[in-house]
């Protein structure tokens, strides 16, 4: 822990406690669990291994803080969010370092994540003052009907490890903007960034109880979160993570009928048509695929290339992929860091072996890199991928590009849609009519057209099918944290 603190300008950003009702405290049981650096496997900190008692205390605090926070003027909430945004940026270098240390993404990407996460806080600081309702045109004399937007109540935010800052910021910021209070549980691999973020929120003036954060190990998570699922005061769950866990949370919260936002897995297709600008398509694929070493839910998982440009595209892509610099995240030159843990590397290796066994051609990469550390894997391109391979059905979540071949537009679209998931899709074409047709046919919440970088605080992020429901960011993002209340006033004549 001392070693970790020494790497930061503000060592006090490392919090080894839960934040409940404005107080930093250990788990009621006193238990802790270890956080390690994925590049080396070395333990870097210990944080509370919270259980149901801690979760209950957090929900008590959030429920108690709700009435006053709901009553605060939107502009007051907005001002606090602005201060939080400024504090995130002012401590950006420390936060980027922390993200890289606990999550493994290159420090340059860590800086990108700080800016990206902060942009949601600013966006919702601005939206806080613009949550309009409607005055409904009069239907009967003497009666006035109005629709108001009110905060849904206490929100439970449960986040994954791949964006330790951005995922939690983009849940807490809209919740606070709408007037909700929050109980949050960050992923067990990466709680340090979330704790630092909560400290900065506290310093920015977020009142006690408005943000409560508890950390748990994987083993304790069902117990701690289970308390929130059963708690009728918790009115909403905002979850980002895997589809099986999302379904479990939806089932287990059914008894208290909570409002749900589910940002779940993807199995994103990336289609390159014969008429694409190939250089742009290769660059777009590198941007979208290799961010965070392929560990994002919008990373293309299946790349479909039309037969006329297949070999040329494979060659151009392999050259660029082979040149990517793999190194520990803290190394300034790194473009690909370690994967999050040994389970992640095992899955990637299994997908590559299975593909090769089923006839895929390895164009570049394909191996672990033990000389760099336990969790490194070479950026990999596989040609001749087919639908019988594991990487067709499952999200690989690593630096592997499988190239599938298709012959005509209808077949390409059908193959892209042939999945239970529907988060992001991408396609490259220079034909305006095709662009219009294909964008309407793709079954997904997000379509990147001649573009690999799709995320923005101003845009609605979310999926369809088993990728979930709800939207984060944009003006739609507030709907998930509000309810519509209808007022009908009579006797006005
Ligand atoms: P990933 O595969 O990316 O780790 P998960 O869906 O497993 O995604 O985890 C996302 C978040 O959900 C993490 O914060 C994790 O601790 C939490 N989580 C996982 N299983 C459960 C569970 N049974 N109950 C509550 N939270 C869970």
């Amino acid at each position: 822990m001392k070693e970790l603190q020494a790497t930061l300008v503000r060592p006090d950003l490392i919090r080894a406690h839960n934040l409940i009702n404005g107080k930093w405290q250990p788990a009621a049981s006193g238990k802790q669990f270890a956080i390690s650096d994925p590049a080396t496997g070395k333990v870097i900190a210990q944080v509370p291994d919270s259980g149901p008692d801690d979760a209950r205390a957090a929900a008590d605090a959030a429920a108690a803080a709700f009435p006053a926070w709901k009553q605060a003027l939107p502009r007051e909430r907005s001002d606090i969010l602005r201060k939080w945004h400024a504090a995130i940026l002012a401590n950006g270098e420390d936060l980027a370092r922390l993200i890289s240390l606990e999550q493994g993404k290159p420090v340059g990407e860590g800086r990108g994540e700080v800016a990206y996460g902060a942009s949601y806080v600013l966006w919702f600081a601005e939206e806080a003052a613009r949550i309009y309702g409607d005055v409904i045109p009069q239907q009967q004399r003497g009666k006035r009907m109005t629709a108001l937007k009110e905060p849904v109540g206490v929100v439970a935010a449960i986040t994954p490890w791949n964006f330790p800052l951005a995922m939690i910021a983009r849940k807490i910021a809209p919740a606070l903007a709408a007037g909700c209070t929050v109980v949050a549980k960050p992923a067990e691999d990466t709680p340090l960034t979330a704790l630092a973020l909560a400290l900065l929120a506290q310093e920015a003036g977020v009142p006690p109880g408005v943000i409560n954060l508890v950390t748990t190990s994987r083993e304790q998570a069902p117990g701690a979160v289970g308390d929130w699922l059963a708690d009728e005061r918790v009115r909403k769950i905002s979850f980002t993570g895997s589809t099986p866990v999302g379904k479990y949370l939806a089932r287990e919260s059914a008894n208290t009928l909570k409002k749900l936002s589910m940002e779940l897995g993807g199995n994103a297709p990336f289609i390159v048509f014969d008429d694409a600008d190939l250089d742009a398509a290769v660059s777009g694929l590198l941007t979208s695929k290799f961010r965070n070493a392929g560990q994002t839910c919008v990373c293309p998982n299946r790349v479909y290339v039309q037969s006329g440009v297949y070999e040329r595209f494979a060659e151009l892509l392999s050259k660029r992929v082979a040149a990517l610099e793999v190194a520990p995240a803290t190394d300034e030159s790194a473009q690909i860091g370690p994967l999050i843990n040994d389970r992640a590397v095992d899955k990637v290796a299994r997908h590559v072996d299975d593909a090769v066994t089923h006839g895929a051609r390895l164009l570049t990469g394909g191996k672990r890199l033990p000389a760099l550390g336990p969790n490194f894997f070479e950026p990999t391109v596989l040609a001749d991928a087919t639908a019988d391979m594991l990487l067709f059905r499952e999200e690989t979540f690593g630096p592997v590009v499988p190239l599938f071949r298709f012959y005509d537009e209808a077949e390409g679209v059908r193959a892209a849609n042939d999945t239970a998931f529907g988060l992001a899709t991408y396609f490259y074409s220079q034909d305006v009519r095709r662009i219009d047709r294909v964008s309407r046919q793709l079954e997904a919440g997000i379509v990147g057209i001649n573009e690999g970088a799709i995320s923005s605080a101003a845009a609605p992020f979310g999926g369809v099918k088993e990728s979930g429901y709800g939207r984060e960011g944009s003006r739609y993002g507030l709907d998930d944290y509000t309810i519509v209340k209808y007022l009908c006033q009579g006797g006005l004549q």
Side-chain angles (χ1 to χ4, degrees):
M1 185 109 146
K2 290 242 155 53
E3 220 174 295
L4 172 60
Q5 284 173 324
T7 64
L8 303 183
V9 179
R10 265 193 67 179
D12 66 317
L13 285 179
I14 307 289
R15 313 305 287 182
H17 288 98
N18 289 330
L19 177 63
I20 297 178
N21 205 19
K23 297 196 185 66
W24 294 93
Q25 48 193 264
S29 65
K31 284 192 193 144
Q32 293 188 314
F33 69 101
I35 308 303
S36 50
D37 174 351
T40 60
K42 270 206 317 219
V43 171
I44 50 174
Q46 301 274 345
V47 297
D49 198 0
S50 312
D53 291 347
D54 307 292
R56 177 85 44 85
D60 289 346
F66 178 59
W69 186 247
K70 176 183 172 182
Q71 297 298 324
L73 289 176
R75 180 55 67 194
E76 290 165 353
R77 294 199 290 262
S78 169
D79 286 346
I80 291 174
L81 285 169
R82 270 177 194 285
K83 288 193 186 121
W84 190 25
H85 171 253
I88 295 169
L89 294 186
N91 292 278
E93 200 51 33
D94 273 356
L95 291 169
R97 204 151 279 284
L98 210 46
I99 291 170
S100 292
L101 265 171
E102 66 174 347
Q103 197 269 317
K105 71 181 57 167
V107 71
E109 281 193 40
R111 290 184 193 115
E113 182 179 344
V114 172
Y116 176 59
S119 72
Y120 281 89
V121 178
L122 181 60
W123 177 268
F124 286 109
E126 289 161 346
E127 287 294 293
R130 294 172 175 70
I131 305 178
Y132 292 96
D134 283 309
V135 176
I136 297 165
Q138 202 168 20
Q139 304 294 310
Q140 279 174 280
R141 294 197 193 289
K143 236 185 198 182
R144 181 173 300 140
M145 296 185 284
T146 319
L148 303 180
K149 299 261 183 82
E150 290 196 344
V152 63
V154 176
V155 172
I158 300 159
T159 52
W161 49 263
N162 59 348
F163 289 92
L165 188 148
M167 292 300 110
I168 203 150
R170 81 181 190 189
K171 296 185 186 312
I172 295 181
L176 263 55
C180 300
T181 55
V182 175
V183 291
K185 188 204 87 58
E188 55 278 2
D189 300 284
T190 58
L192 298 173
T193 310
L195 290 165
L197 206 57
L199 175 69
L200 296 175
Q202 197 178 25
E203 291 175 355
V206 172
V210 170
I211 299 176
N212 306 277
L213 205 143
V214 297
T215 57
T216 70
S217 63
R218 187 84 179 180
E219 293 69 37
Q220 293 282 333
V225 171
D227 211 80
W228 295 340
L229 299 179
D231 190 332
E232 61 194 18
R233 298 169 303 172
V234 176
R235 294 311 320 144
K236 178 183 169 70
I237 297 176
S238 179
F239 173 71
T240 301
S242 63
T243 295
V245 175
K247 287 180 179 175
Y248 162 84
L249 296 174
R251 267 196 312 272
E252 294 298 309
S253 61
N255 262 347
T256 48
L257 278 184
K258 299 186 199 311
K259 191 167 166 134
L260 302 176
S261 300
M262 293 283 164
E263 301 288 356
L264 309 177
N267 181 359
F270 185 108
I271 315 174
V272 183
F273 288 102
D274 278 348
D275 57 30
D277 172 338
L278 285 197
D279 289 327
V282 169
S283 297
L285 182 55
L286 282 162
T287 306
S288 53
K289 176 71 217 184
F290 289 100
R291 184 147 170 240
N292 207 9
Q295 302 172 108
T296 89
C297 47
V298 292
C299 281
N301 198 51
R302 297 167 294 141
V303 178
Y304 290 96
V305 188
Q306 199 165 1
S307 53
V309 293
Y310 189 93
E311 294 301 339
R312 176 95 189 102
F313 182 81
E315 188 188 327
L316 286 172
L317 177 71
S318 303
K319 262 200 207 126
R320 297 273 302 272
V321 171
L324 289 171
E325 171 92 16
V326 186
T330 39
D331 189 327
E332 285 288 343
S333 66
Q335 290 173 294
I336 305 279
L339 300 187
I340 188 70
N341 53 34
D342 49 355
R343 276 182 292 133
V345 199
D346 288 348
K347 183 175 189 190
V348 169
R350 195 168 66 248
H351 278 197
V352 171
D353 291 347
D354 169 81
V356 171
T357 309
H358 283 85
R361 255 187 305 144
L362 193 58
L363 299 186
T364 182
K367 292 191 302 296
R368 296 171 193 254
L369 292 166
L372 286 177
N375 298 333
F376 287 88
F377 200 94
E378 280 179 323
T380 300
V381 180
L382 293 160
D384 301 339
T386 62
D388 356 294
M389 297 172 184
L390 278 178
L391 42 67
F392 169 79
R393 284 188 302 279
E394 295 176 18
E395 221 178 348
T396 305
F397 232 61
V400 178
V401 181
L403 300 177
F404 299 76
R405 194 185 304 259
F406 72 95
Y407 293 89
D408 65 39
E409 182 183 304
E411 182 200 358
V413 171
R414 203 167 46 242
N417 286 339
D418 184 15
T419 166
F421 300 96
L423 185 57
T425 52
Y426 306 81
F427 70 94
Y428 276 71
S429 165
Q430 298 191 87
D431 175 337
V432 286
R433 287 192 205 91
R434 169 173 278 163
I435 287 173
D436 178 57
R437 260 191 324 267
V438 172
S439 20
R440 283 184 289 108
Q441 286 168 11
L442 288 171
E443 297 167 359
I446 303 168
V447 183
I449 305 161
N450 297 328
E451 180 58 63
I454 48 176
S455 298
S456 159
F461 186 102
V464 298
K465 294 158 77 178
E466 294 193 20
S467 291
Y469 37 74
R471 292 294 178 266
E472 293 194 312
S474 81
R475 69 190 173 88
Y476 303 101
L478 273 172
D479 293 344
D480 283 41
Y481 297 89
T482 55
I483 48 162
V484 175
K485 183 186 271 179
Y486 156 50
L487 309 184
C488 180
Q489 187 175 1
L492 292 175
Q493 212 175 22

